[in-house]
């Protein structure tokens, strides 16, 4: 949905990834998949990612199974293998994911993730460094905490830097230059080594993403044997809550225009600080008038707030037309009234509305229709 906070976060991530990774013609390397089916097989969600048979994430109690082989995807990683198989080496997967969970201000069984996968050939990887062409990406060694058996440490360290630079660039873009962050070691069956990124928010460290060097067996199984890859998965709700100060995940499901209208912006980068929405009902009154030659909607917006104060929740222009015969311009606005602490009566709203009409006539020189 356009203008939803999750839409804004999604678009900002896409814009960052498009701008940051371009080919020699200046075109984005990443392609975006945001409508892949949410119903996936256990093969996609787990097996293709090397999740062991007995791994706790497979439990019936934690996921929404449709039958023993089919479930709602628990992460966007479920699509990694099929997209690599189709020949892609840079892609984002964005969408809703499902995990059985309690419901409160911080937990909800549906949330959104953005997955990124980037595959590089050794040539592409080493061409970034001087005399890199002498380096090897693959070897037969043993697995250790720093790397998989088949990767050279050179290749892994370069991939790690590429991945972490990308993600730090992203969080700085989203949260500003001064965001405090830290990397922690992590474990995922489908990456090694693996990390999590935490950011400091409201006095606490908060984990926002998991990432790592993709297990080579996944690439090999998808026909990308000669490439090395990194992947990350980032949760959109947590980003949006931090960026916009949204205190409760359940608000992302709100249809209340008092919530949604706060995210109606023309430029997706516009900073927004969410303001609490009243739990009492709205009361909408319209006003239409002919306007004089010199007239600006902003003067009317100021005037409504000057008179209605805190009970003006929203003012929108809902219609305008030009009367060709009388050569007159008309505007219609909808004023949405709402009180933070109680239900407004139609009578008191009408009184304020009347005052706004009178002030518009007197100060803005309009003629009520
Ligand atoms: N799929 C992981 C999760 O949902 C995140 C992840 C994606 C980790 C890609 C590593 C690589 O927690």
């Amino acid at each position: 949905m356009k203008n939803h906070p999750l839409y804004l976060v999604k678009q900002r991530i896409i814009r960052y990834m498009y701008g940051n990774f371009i080919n020699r013609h200046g075109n984005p390397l990443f392609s975006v998949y945001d409508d892949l089916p949410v119903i996936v097989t256990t093969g996609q969600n787990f097996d293709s990612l090397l999740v062991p048979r007995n791994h706790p994430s497979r439990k019936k109690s934690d996921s929404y199974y449709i039958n023993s082989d089919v479930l709602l995807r628990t992460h966007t990683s479920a699509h990694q293998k099929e997209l690599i198989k189709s020949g892609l080496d840079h892609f984002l997967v964005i969408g809703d994911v499902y995990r059985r969970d309690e419901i409160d201000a911080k937990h909800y069984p549906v949330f959104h993730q953005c997955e990124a996968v980037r595959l590089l050939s050794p040539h592409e990887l080493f061409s970034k460094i001087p005399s890199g062409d002498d380096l090897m990406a693959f070897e037969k060694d043993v697995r250790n905490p720093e790397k998989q058996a088949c990767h050279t440490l050179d290749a892994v360290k370069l991939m790690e830097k590429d991945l972490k630079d990308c993600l730090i660039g992203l969080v700085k873009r989203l949260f500003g230059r001064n965001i405090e962050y830290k990397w922690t070691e992590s474990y995922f069956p489908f990456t090694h080594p693996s990390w999590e990124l935490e950011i400091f928010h409201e006095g606490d460290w908060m984990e926002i993403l998991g990432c790592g060097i993709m297990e080579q067996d996944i690439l090999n199984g998808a026909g990308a044997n000669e490439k090395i890859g990194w992947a990350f998965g980032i949760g959109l709700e947590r980003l949006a809550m931090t960026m916009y100060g949204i205190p409760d995940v359940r608000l992302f499901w709100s249809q209340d225009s008092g919530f949604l209208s706060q995210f109606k912006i023309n430029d997706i980068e516009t900073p927004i600080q969410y303001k609490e929405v009243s739990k009492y009902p709205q009361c909408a009154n319209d006003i239409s008038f002919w306007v004089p030659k010199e007239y600006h909607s902003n003067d009317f917006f100021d005037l409504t707030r000057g008179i209605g104060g805190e009970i003006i929740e929203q003012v929108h222009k809902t219609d305008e037309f030009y009367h060709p015969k009388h050569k007159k311009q008309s505007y219609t606005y909808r004023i949405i009234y709402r009180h933070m602490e109680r239900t407004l009566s139609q009578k008191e709203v009408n009184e304020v509305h009347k005052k706004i009409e009178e002030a518009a006539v007197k100060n803005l020189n309009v003629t009520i229709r």
Side-chain angles (χ1 to χ4, degrees):
M1 191 203 309
K2 226 181 150 195
N3 300 323
H4 192 276
L6 296 177
Y7 169 87
L8 298 176
V9 173
K10 166 180 162 180
Q11 294 305 324
R12 288 183 67 166
I13 296 174
I14 293 173
R15 184 185 282 183
Y16 170 79
M17 295 298 285
Y18 276 179
N20 227 23
F21 296 96
I22 50 175
N23 66 17
R24 59 181 192 283
H25 307 292
N27 296 322
L29 286 172
F30 278 85
S31 42
V32 176
Y33 293 82
D34 64 359
D35 60 357
L36 295 175
V38 299
I39 298 176
V40 296
T41 62
T42 49
Q44 291 171 290
N45 202 79
F46 302 117
D47 301 327
S48 77
L49 293 161
L50 315 174
V51 177
R53 284 254 161 244
N54 58 353
H55 194 271
S57 66
R58 292 191 184 243
K59 284 201 306 249
K60 305 267 180 283
S61 56
D62 288 2
S63 306
Y64 292 99
Y65 278 86
I66 291 156
N67 60 43
S68 58
D69 305 318
V70 180
L71 74 163
L72 299 180
R73 66 184 172 205
T74 65
H75 53 180
T76 44
S77 306
H79 303 287
Q80 278 188 10
K81 189 171 176 183
E82 66 203 44
L83 291 173
I84 295 171
K85 238 186 186 155
S86 78
L88 296 169
D89 49 20
H90 290 85
F91 56 86
L92 303 177
V93 181
I94 305 171
D96 35 347
V97 300
Y98 298 79
R99 294 182 196 174
R100 295 178 68 184
D101 205 346
E102 54 192 320
I103 297 184
D104 61 27
K106 298 278 170 263
H107 302 90
Y108 201 76
V110 191
F111 61 99
H112 294 78
Q113 284 186 327
C114 173
E115 187 93 4
V117 166
R118 167 159 155 96
L119 308 185
L120 291 171
S121 68
H123 174 72
E124 290 166 324
L125 180 63
F126 293 129
S127 67
K128 298 177 212 268
I129 54 167
S131 66
D133 273 345
D134 305 334
L135 297 174
M136 306 289 270
F138 298 104
E139 64 179 356
K140 269 214 179 76
D141 191 16
V142 286
R143 191 177 177 96
N144 65 45
E146 285 189 301
K147 66 175 207 71
Q148 298 168 38
C150 60
H151 292 151
T152 64
L153 198 54
D154 289 332
V156 172
K157 288 293 171 195
L158 278 175
M159 287 297 282
E160 174 179 349
K161 175 161 173 23
D162 188 70
L163 168 63
K164 288 184 171 177
D165 285 351
C166 165
L167 286 166
I168 294 309
L170 176 63
V171 298
K172 287 194 170 166
R173 183 77 88 79
L174 297 180
F175 298 105
R177 300 251 122 231
N178 297 326
I179 182 74
E180 266 192 86
Y181 63 84
K182 70 174 183 206
W183 289 104
T184 59
E185 307 255 305
S186 185
Y187 167 80
F188 300 102
F190 33 96
T191 51
H192 182 73
S194 307
W195 303 276
E196 283 175 347
L197 181 59
E198 299 182 15
I199 58 171
F200 198 68
H201 176 64
E202 285 179 349
D204 255 329
W205 288 101
M206 178 174 70
E207 179 248 306
I208 55 164
L209 66 89
C211 66
I213 308 303
M214 295 175 72
E215 284 288 349
Q216 197 62 35
D217 280 350
I218 299 174
L219 301 199
N220 294 349
N225 311 51
E226 73 291 3
K227 304 222 165 143
I228 177 164
W230 59 241
F232 69 75
I234 192 163
L236 301 191
E237 274 79 355
R238 280 187 176 188
L239 295 182
M241 289 171 83
T242 312
M243 279 162 65
Y244 303 130
I246 297 169
D248 190 316
V249 269
R250 292 166 293 194
L251 282 165
F252 291 107
W253 299 89
S254 172
Q255 302 274 4
D256 191 317
S257 71
F259 175 77
L260 294 172
S261 64
Q262 298 187 34
F263 300 93
K264 216 177 249 171
I265 48 177
N266 293 323
D267 174 5
I268 56 170
E269 316 271 333
T270 309
I272 297 171
Q273 183 54 45
Y274 167 73
K275 286 185 263 344
E276 192 193 343
V277 176
S278 168
K279 47 186 180 296
Y280 298 94
Q282 297 176 333
C283 187
N285 277 20
D286 290 351
I287 182 169
S288 301
F289 42 65
W290 304 107
V291 301
K293 279 244 143 28
E294 269 303 302
Y295 171 84
H296 302 285
S297 283
N298 283 342
D299 294 333
F300 180 68
F301 297 149
D302 285 343
L303 179 143
T304 57
R305 290 187 211 278
I307 291 168
E310 289 291 294
I311 70 164
I312 307 288
E313 187 189 76
Q314 304 167 50
V315 189
H316 304 291
K317 187 167 78 192
T318 50
D319 193 26
E320 63 174 272
F321 80 93
Y322 184 71
H323 197 298
K325 212 151 120 210
H326 297 138
K327 298 201 166 32
K328 284 204 298 194
Q329 177 72 34
S330 163
Y331 285 120
T332 300
Y333 298 92
R334 170 152 298 172
I335 305 177
I336 297 178
Y337 298 87
R338 195 186 223 177
H339 199 287
M340 283 307 287
E341 271 123 33
R342 61 189 174 79
T343 302
L344 292 170
S345 72
Q346 187 65 57
K347 184 161 164 286
E348 62 185 316
V349 168
N350 288 347
E351 280 165 19
V352 178
H353 199 69
K354 186 96 205 122
K355 279 197 191 128
I356 289 173
E357 274 183 7
E358 288 164 4
V361 169
K362 193 158 149 254
N363 304 338
L364 303 180
N365 216 7
V366 305
T367 314
I368 304 289
R369 290 178 43 214

